């Protein structure tokens, strides 16, 4: 065999050996990285997606610009993201089912607003148990709410509402939207059943409502420290009060 051919064969064998060693080293390093936990002392990040093995969301932690919009079974709907800094939770089907959100800022004119909420949703619906704080220029409302919602799919409801919003502005659209908001088979879309908290008028209250969301029993200590209990009928008229005067 000619010497030049022997030299080329030796070069090819050397090349093959080097490539094999490099690939083996990279594969081993990749395997070690895949099986080892990463540890950070501190990390700056704009968004973290916690996902299931199939890639579906389980939790999203984000700032405002990168915050996620509503998700139903893995698909966006309703409105775009970018308005809900905080943490959003998702159920086994990849549908949003609660979250922790917070805002607060002072404006150039000296006024300010702040809000925070920790909520849990009815299955395939909206929030039915939530803690909330809302503040505007010193007026504060803080409390805990339990609510009822109609057994309707939120995706279908939003799709129906969005189709009505495409109608030209005017009486026809307004009437259609008012009809959309009405109870379905006698059941309101939303009904507050219990509220425990502080009102914007600085009263502490326990508000108990019927399935239509109408207050029927109100325990209150007003801003002056005066306590009272009021019983109300379906129209909101006080039928009994303690103390009576």
């Amino acid at each position: 065999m000619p010497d030049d051919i022997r030299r080329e064969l030796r070069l090819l064998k050397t090349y093959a050996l080097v490539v094999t060693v490099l690939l083996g080293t990279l594969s081993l390093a990749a395997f070690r990285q895949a099986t080892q936990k990463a540890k950070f002392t501190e990390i700056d990040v704009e968004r973290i997606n916690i996902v299931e093995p199939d890639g579906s969301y389980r939790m999203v932690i984000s700032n405002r610009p990168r915050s996620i919009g509503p998700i139903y079974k893995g698909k966006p709907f309703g409105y775009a993201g970018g308005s809900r800094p905080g943490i959003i939770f998702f159920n086994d089907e990849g549908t949003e089912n609660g979250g922790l959100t917070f805002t607060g800022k002072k404006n150039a004119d000296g006024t300010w607003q702040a809000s925070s909420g920790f909520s849990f949703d009815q299955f395939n619906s909206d929030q039915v148990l939530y803690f909330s704080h809302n503040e505007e220029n010193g007026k504060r409302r803080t409390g805990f709410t339990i609510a009822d919602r109609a057994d309707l799919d939120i995706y279908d409801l939003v799709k129906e509402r969005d189709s009505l919003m495409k109608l030209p502005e005017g009486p026809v659209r307004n009437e259609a939207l008012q009809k959309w908001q009405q109870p379905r088979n006698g059941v309101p879309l939303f009904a507050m059943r219990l509220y425990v908290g502080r009102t914007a008028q600085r009263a502490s209250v326990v508000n108990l409502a019927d399935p239509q969301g109408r207050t029927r029993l109100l325990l209150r200590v007003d801003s002056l420290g005066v306590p009272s209990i009021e019983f109300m009928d379906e129209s909101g008229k006080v039928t009994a009060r303690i103390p009576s005067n």
Side-chain angles (χ1 to χ4, degrees), residues 148-176:
D148 280 343
R149 288 189 182 272
D151 290 324
L152 298 171
D153 194 294
I154 190 171
Y155 183 85
D156 295 334
L157 278 173
V158 171
K159 185 178 180 180
E160 181 182 343
R161 182 204 62 194
D162 289 349
S163 67
L164 297 177
M165 291 299 296
K166 294 178 181 178
L167 295 173
E169 290 188 21
V172 174
R173 188 175 77 172
N174 294 339
E175 183 178 349

Side-chain angles (χ1 to χ4, degrees), residues 30-50:
F31 175 77
R32 292 185 62 185
Q33 289 180 356
T35 57
Q36 291 180 347
K37 294 181 180 178
K39 183 178 179 180
F40 303 93
T41 302
E42 184 174 339
I43 181 171
D44 292 336
V45 63
E46 295 189 11
R47 173 164 158 171
I48 297 175
N49 298 331
I50 309 299

Side-chain angles (χ1 to χ4, degrees), residues 1-17:
M1 182 181 294
D3 292 340
D4 56 345
I5 295 178
R6 287 194 179 94
R7 284 195 299 271
E8 290 182 4
L9 286 174
R10 283 197 298 270
L11 288 173
L12 288 173
K13 288 179 180 180
T14 303
Y15 175 78
L17 178 62

Side-chain angles (χ1 to χ4, degrees), residues 9-229:
L9 286 174
R10 283 197 298 270
L11 288 173
L12 288 173
K13 288 179 180 180
T14 303
Y15 175 78
L17 178 62
V18 171
V19 170
T20 301
V21 172
L22 286 174
L23 288 175
T25 303
L26 291 174
S27 298
L28 179 60
F31 175 77
R32 292 185 62 185
Q33 289 180 356
T35 57
Q36 291 180 347
K37 294 181 180 178
K39 183 178 179 180
F40 303 93
T41 302
E42 184 174 339
I43 181 171
D44 292 336
V45 63
E46 295 189 11
R47 173 164 158 171
I48 297 175
N49 298 331
I50 309 299
V51 299
E52 294 290 356
D54 64 359
S56 60
Y57 289 123
R58 199 59 168 184
M59 181 186 299
V60 173
I61 307 171
S62 69
N63 62 13
R64 181 187 294 276
R66 297 192 62 81
S67 62
I68 196 167
I71 300 290
Y72 178 86
K73 296 183 178 180
K75 297 180 180 180
F77 78 105
Y79 55 87
S83 63
R84 303 189 296 172
I87 306 172
I88 303 299
F89 311 134
F90 297 86
N91 66 17
D92 295 340
E93 297 181 343
T95 298
E96 180 181 331
N97 67 346
L100 172 64
T101 60
F102 36 86
T103 65
K105 67 176 182 178
K106 193 169 187 177
N107 303 312
D109 61 1
T111 60
W112 74 91
Q113 300 85 31
S115 67
S116 57
F118 184 28
S119 64
F120 300 90
D121 296 351
Q122 180 174 302
F123 181 67
N124 284 347
S125 187
D126 211 338
Q127 59 190 27
V128 289
L129 186 157
Y130 49 98
F131 299 87
S132 62
H133 169 75
N134 293 282
E135 180 174 348
E136 184 172 1
N137 304 321
K139 281 193 173 183
R140 306 177 186 90
R141 187 177 189 272
T142 306
F144 166 71
T145 301
I146 294 177
D148 280 343
R149 288 189 182 272
D151 290 324
L152 298 171
D153 194 294
I154 190 171
Y155 183 85
D156 295 334
L157 278 173
V158 171
K159 185 178 180 180
E160 181 182 343
R161 182 204 62 194
D162 289 349
S163 67
L164 297 177
M165 291 299 296
K166 294 178 181 178
L167 295 173
E169 290 188 21
V172 174
R173 188 175 77 172
N174 294 339
E175 183 178 349
L177 288 171
Q178 289 178 358
K179 184 178 179 180
W180 175 84
Q181 296 174 17
Q182 296 305 306
R184 312 295 172 91
N185 298 318
V187 179
L189 298 184
F190 170 85
M192 187 277 293
R193 299 302 307 277
L194 168 68
Y195 176 78
V196 180
R198 178 194 186 279
T199 69
Q201 292 73 39
R202 301 179 58 237
S204 57
V205 301
V206 176
N207 188 331
L208 296 166
D210 64 21
Q212 300 297 315
R214 299 171 297 208
T215 299
R216 303 302 294 272
L217 175 61
L218 180 62
L219 291 77
R220 175 170 50 199
V221 177
D222 67 20
S223 61
L224 299 177
V226 179
S228 64
I229 302 175

